[in-house]
Amino acid sequence: AYLKITFQKFTPTEGLCRSALVPGWGQYYKGSTTKGAIALSGTAAFLISGVLSANHSTEMDEKSISTRSNFNRDYYHDEATKYHQLSCIFYGFAAGIYALNICDAVSAPLGHSKLGNNRLSNSGMQIEPFCHQDHQSFGIRLTLILDS
């Protein structure tokens, strides 16, 4: 392990790339940790809900195919349709939060967050683990933040 001191330049492209990989990471990078947490948890919650609803729709479809009663077949088919529609709604919300997350990571000013703390508002120091681009070395990044 070694200590590396770097000065970071915050760029919209970096925020975009980070938020595209992990929702909320771009907000965290720019200093809006609360917005980042909301983006990550909201996207994850709606994606999980969509997957669960889609799975339940598939189960209802299988029951509608295997049942012998016309009444039960219609009931299971209707339930499958409802859960499929619900999963599409959840996926839509997840996609909407993801898109807002990317737009915010690019367009929001550095450290701007009405919802959370501004880690860039004061001079200071940030310590975080990092992985080098070759993925062969790991270390601790010490970032000095200076107000101008």
Side-chain angles (χ1 to χ4, degrees):
Y2 58 92
L3 181 65
K4 180 179 180 180
I5 298 175
T6 60
F7 292 93
Q8 279 187 315
K9 180 181 177 186
F10 296 92
T11 64
T13 306
E14 184 76 16
L16 169 74
C17 292
R18 289 174 184 237
S19 278
L21 289 174
V22 178
W25 192 16
Q27 283 78 11
Y28 178 77
Y29 166 75
K30 293 179 86 174
S32 300
T33 56
T34 303
K35 287 196 305 188
I38 290 170
L40 177 62
S41 60
T43 303
F46 282 118
L47 276 177
I48 291 169
S49 298
V51 168
L52 293 175
S53 296
N55 286 343
H56 200 62
S57 173
T58 302
E59 291 173 7
M60 292 294 117
D61 264 338
E62 290 171 358
K63 285 184 179 181
S64 75
I65 292 169
S66 65
T67 189
R68 296 179 189 211
S69 164
N70 283 336
F71 175 77
N72 286 344
R73 187 174 301 125
D74 290 341
Y75 170 76
Y76 288 130
H77 178 73
D78 290 344
E79 288 296 304
T81 302
K82 289 176 190 174
Y83 280 107
H84 175 74
Q85 291 171 343
L86 188 60
S87 71
C88 290
I89 291 169
F90 285 139
Y91 289 143
F93 276 116
I97 292 173
Y98 181 76
L100 286 173
N101 149 66
I102 290 175
C103 291
D104 182 69
V106 171
S107 64
L110 291 177
H112 176 72
S113 174
K114 293 182 179 175
L115 297 173
N117 295 331
N118 180 348
R119 75 176 168 125
L120 298 176
S121 64
N122 298 317
S123 297
M125 180 174 56
Q126 177 185 359
I127 301 172
E128 61 186 354
F130 81 98
C131 175
H132 193 268
Q133 290 177 349
D134 63 5
H135 300 289
Q136 298 296 321
S137 60
F138 302 91
I140 297 174
R141 176 180 293 142
L142 173 66
T143 306
L144 300 175
I145 303 169
L146 306 173
D147 275 346
S148 48

